[in-house]
Amino acid sequence: MNIFRTLHRSILILFAVVVISIVTLVHISISKIVAEQSRAQQKSHSPALRLITEELMRPLHISQTLAKAQELIRLMAAPEGKQQEIFAMLARLNKEFDLNFFIASELNREQYNSDGRTIVLEEGKVDWYFRYKAQPENAMADIGQWQNPQFYIDLKIYDENETFLGVFGVGKSLIGFTEVFGQYKEAHGYDFIFVDQNKDITLTSDPELLVQGATFKNLTQLPWYQALSEEQQASSLNNLLLPIKGQESLIAELNIQPFDWTLYLITPLQSRQTEISRGFIVSIVTLLAIIFGLFLVIYNLLYYFKKDMQKIKEIDILTELSNRSTMTLKFEELMYEKQSVSLVLIDLDNFKPINETHGRKAGDIVLRQVAQMLQSEIRNTDYLGRWGGEEFILLMPNTGPHEAVELCQSLCKKLSAMTITTGSTSIQITASFGVSFTAIPRPMSEVISAADDALFSAKRDGRNIVRMELVKSE
């Protein structure tokens, strides 16, 4: 309930800030620009907002809505023998929305496209699928630009049991987008340049800067950018006046999330109108940024809200540590990344008598305080979770077994020195540690088994100690 209340308040505050900002900008604009000139300039800029909203945000909203369709989830959950039904659905969506759709099936390891093509998802050949699958994000937007530039939005699909079924994607050709840019430039004289995080020019109204083959042109290749000082290149170019192609031009800069692009709006200015135009362009672009930012902030609020709800499923409510399934996924992720891992099982000694003598409430307090202590003492690179009952699990990436034993001995000593207060009762607690290690990708069950053997040895040898057992080679 607190999460819903926080979301509601955040959206209300966001709208209040946007309304106040817009009112303030309008007031400043009116004080500088006559009404007729303001209306004319606003009319000339409105296509930019419409282009961004219709051409970029529309596919995002459509993909998010369709990703929840039961028909899509049903087909992706059992795709075998349903290729014709899948292609029929994709073709229907293509006709209804005039967008390109595809399904990348995790079960079949095949990609089905709305144009009827099938692509085998082979690791090493279809790099994007396996790279995106390994990422924690559930949504990704990107530009693919070769002979026919495409704007892509990919969404991970899960069934009701949170099983990963594959990726549902939407693609939109940007040829029409660039054609409208050209018409807009001809009508108003402005140039648009979109660049990615590497300063590669992905979209532009300047035909001389369009991509050649599979090679992007870079912002640093432009003469006017090369003429900037290193300090100017390292900072924002917003409101900068520069001579571009023989004309004094004003540059407006706008960061566009979640696509991680930067938009440069280049406006040629007549000398006698420079001051008025500068104030107007800044006001309009700021207004454009606020309105566009409103779409993005609301999207991010909903995204993080969903992420928080997902996080509730990933933690152990009592200790607020990662639960068993989350730690299993983290181990598999480390194996996928081919990292060496030391795995440690930590079992509290003589925990059952605490519940029997002091009650389960006292036992819960002990578990919470032990979890807090362990979490505060481990390294930032380590992962701690509750494995079950009074047992915890610790993953130590890129850590050898002997180093892990030394670190666990320190944890063991600090734990035995703790005094836990439960009401009027003080309790001393110790724990036994079982350490195992793998340098190569292998099933978690093998590593857990070795750690269990080490933990058994620690219990057998008197508890409150650390023991190590390496995975037996076959």
Side-chain angles (χ1 to χ4, degrees):
M1 185 62 67
N2 289 333
I3 296 177
F4 285 98
R5 190 179 297 114
T6 301
L7 179 67
H8 182 258
R9 289 176 179 174
S10 298
I11 293 178
L12 288 179
I13 293 172
L14 174 64
F15 272 104
V17 170
V18 170
V19 170
I20 292 172
S21 300
I22 293 175
V23 170
T24 303
L25 285 171
V26 169
H27 175 73
I28 295 173
S29 298
I30 290 176
S31 67
K32 292 183 178 181
I33 306 170
V34 297
E36 188 61 33
Q37 187 179 21
S38 177
R39 284 194 297 269
Q41 293 285 12
Q42 288 182 15
K43 184 178 180 180
S44 69
H45 278 78
S46 60
L49 177 60
R50 185 174 66 252
L51 285 175
I52 294 174
T53 302
E54 292 181 359
E55 301 295 334
L56 300 183
M57 297 303 293
R58 177 175 171 267
L60 177 63
H61 296 156
I62 290 175
S63 63
Q64 290 176 322
T65 302
L66 293 177
K68 300 177 182 179
Q70 291 301 311
E71 178 187 9
L72 173 68
I73 297 174
R74 176 180 62 81
L75 290 176
M76 294 185 68
E80 192 64 36
K82 298 180 180 178
Q83 283 82 353
Q84 290 186 353
E85 190 174 350
I86 291 173
F87 281 126
M89 181 189 70
L90 294 175
R92 186 180 73 247
L93 294 177
N94 174 263
K95 183 177 180 181
E96 290 178 1
F97 297 101
D98 194 25
L99 296 169
N100 300 319
F101 295 88
F102 71 85
I103 289 175
S105 171
E106 173 68 9
L107 299 179
N108 279 7
R109 285 291 173 88
E110 287 186 335
Q111 177 179 329
Y112 308 102
N113 298 290
S114 55
D115 61 3
R117 292 182 300 115
T118 302
I119 300 174
V120 177
L121 298 175
E122 186 175 345
E123 195 164 0
K125 293 185 178 180
V126 186
D127 178 66
W128 72 268
Y129 178 79
F130 297 94
R131 184 180 69 253
Y132 178 35
K133 177 184 174 183
Q135 293 176 354
E137 292 82 5
N138 286 327
M140 181 175 67
D142 199 4
I143 284 287
Q145 186 167 8
W146 291 273
Q147 298 300 324
N148 179 17
Q150 295 276 333
F151 172 58
Y152 293 103
I153 295 175
D154 303 325
L155 301 176
K156 291 181 180 177
I157 305 298
Y158 300 87
D159 64 12
E160 60 183 10
N161 299 318
E162 299 299 324
T163 301
F164 176 63
L165 302 178
V167 175
F168 174 63
V170 178
K172 177 176 177 58
S173 174
L174 296 179
I175 293 295
F177 198 24
T178 55
E179 289 176 351
V180 175
F181 268 163
Q183 297 170 4
Y184 184 68
K185 177 183 177 181
E186 183 178 351
H188 304 288
Y190 302 151
D191 262 318
F192 286 101
I193 298 178
F194 286 87
V195 301
D196 62 16
Q197 63 272 23
N198 299 318
K199 295 189 182 299
D200 285 332
I201 299 173
T202 56
L203 291 173
T204 177
S205 59
D206 189 343
E208 297 179 3
L209 302 180
L210 290 176
V211 67
Q212 301 294 328
T215 304
F216 289 94
K217 290 193 175 182
N218 196 275
L219 185 68
T220 59
Q221 297 173 316
L222 304 186
W224 63 263
Y225 188 86
Q226 293 174 348
L228 298 174
S229 65
E230 292 184 1
E231 182 179 353
Q232 288 175 318
Q233 292 181 1
S235 60
S236 172
L237 305 184
N238 205 28
N239 299 329
L240 198 62
L241 277 172
L242 292 174
I244 300 177
K245 295 183 178 180
Q247 298 187 63
E248 193 76 5
S249 301
L250 176 67
I251 297 180
E253 180 179 316
L254 175 64
N255 184 255
I256 300 179
Q257 295 292 342
F259 313 125
D260 202 16
W261 294 347
T262 301
L263 165 64
Y264 295 101
L265 176 64
I266 302 176
T267 308
L269 302 176
Q270 299 296 328
S271 58
R272 63 180 180 175
Q273 297 175 336
T274 298
E275 292 301 321
I276 295 177
S277 297
R278 179 189 300 185
F280 174 74
I281 294 297
V282 169
S283 297
I284 290 298
V285 172
T286 304
L287 182 61
L288 178 64
I290 290 175
I291 296 175
F292 188 70
L294 174 63
F295 285 109
L296 299 182
V297 172
I298 292 176
Y299 167 77
N300 285 324
L301 279 173
L302 295 175
Y303 171 77
Y304 285 111
F305 171 70
K306 180 181 178 181
K307 190 175 181 181
D308 286 340
M309 294 298 291
Q310 181 65 27
K311 191 177 295 183
I312 294 175
K313 299 179 181 180
E314 297 173 352
I315 65 171
D316 173 69
I317 297 177
L318 176 63
T319 62
E320 297 184 352
L321 298 177
S322 297
N323 59 24
R324 187 182 188 120
S325 61
T326 303
M327 294 301 291
T328 301
L329 289 174
K330 175 54 65 176
F331 180 88
E332 292 174 352
E333 180 182 338
L334 293 172
M335 293 297 96
Y336 180 82
E337 296 172 354
K338 297 183 179 179
Q339 296 190 45
S340 61
V341 179
S342 282
L343 185 151
V344 184
L345 291 179
I346 306 169
D347 190 80
L348 301 186
D349 297 327
N350 302 313
F351 182 78
K352 186 177 180 181
I354 294 176
N355 281 335
E356 294 174 347
T357 304
H358 305 288
R360 290 192 175 275
K361 184 177 180 180
D364 290 345
I365 293 174
V366 170
L367 288 172
R368 279 196 294 268
Q369 294 196 21
V370 168
Q372 292 170 4
M373 189 281 289
L374 292 173
Q375 186 67 63
S376 66
E377 293 294 334
I378 63 174
R379 304 168 302 178
N380 292 335
T381 55
D382 298 335
Y383 303 95
L384 178 68
R386 187 181 181 191
W387 196 240
E390 65 272 20
E391 197 170 39
F392 300 88
I393 184 171
L394 178 60
L395 300 179
M396 309 174 81
N398 300 315
T399 304
H402 298 289
E403 182 183 0
V405 168
E406 291 179 4
L407 293 170
C408 289
Q409 286 173 340
S410 175
L411 289 175
C412 184
K413 184 177 180 180
K414 291 178 180 179
L415 186 59
S416 63
M418 280 183 65
T419 299
I420 299 174
T421 301
T422 61
S424 59
T425 304
S426 297
I427 298 175
Q428 298 291 131
I429 193 73
T430 63
S432 300
F433 292 68
V435 180
S436 186
F437 170 80
T438 179
I440 61 172
R442 66 174 76 242
M444 189 178 187
S445 58
E446 295 181 14
V447 188
I448 284 286
S449 178
D452 260 325
D453 292 342
L455 183 62
F456 179 79
S457 297
K459 294 286 188 181
R460 181 193 59 200
D461 294 345
R463 299 183 173 87
N464 193 29
I465 54 176
V466 180
R467 290 289 182 263
M468 177 182 68
E469 182 77 28
L470 298 180
V471 179
K472 295 180 176 60
S473 300
E474 295 183 359

